[in-house]
Amino acid sequence: MAGYRGLVEDVVVDANYRGKGIGKKLMQELVEQGNAIGLDEILLFSGHHRTAVIALYKSLGFTIRKSGVYQLVLK
């Protein structure tokens, strides 16, 4: 899909403040801003083990892609 994309990377709420809705509010604002500037989609990456945040993303309408991305690290 071509278009204007946003990318979310490394959004973390301090453990002492989790469960208070801060992450949800941050993501809702990000989505609102993305809509306001005309993004076609927002991409984010998360480890499969992060079940709580994945549930948050799904509650906001994010779905997982079957992209088949491959990586070669050269360091």
Side-chain angles (χ1 to χ4, degrees):
M1 175 183 171
Y4 192 36
R5 296 182 178 112
L7 175 64
V8 178
E9 189 173 358
D10 295 333
V11 176
V12 179
V13 175
D14 185 278
N16 294 318
Y17 296 95
R18 291 183 190 152
K20 300 177 186 290
I22 295 169
K24 185 172 186 172
K25 288 179 184 178
L26 284 169
M27 291 303 298
Q28 287 171 326
E29 181 63 26
L30 182 139
V31 170
E32 286 178 25
Q33 292 298 316
N35 277 318
I37 64 171
L39 293 181
D40 295 306
E41 67 180 342
I42 298 172
L43 305 173
L44 59 83
F45 302 94
S46 183
H48 297 293
H49 65 285
R50 299 182 66 216
T51 55
V53 77
I54 290 169
L56 168 63
Y57 297 149
K58 287 181 177 180
S59 78
L60 295 170
F62 286 84
T63 58
I64 192 163
R65 261 189 177 181
K66 295 178 184 174
S67 64
V69 173
Y70 290 82
Q71 172 184 1
L72 174 62
V73 177
L74 299 176
K75 289 186 177 187

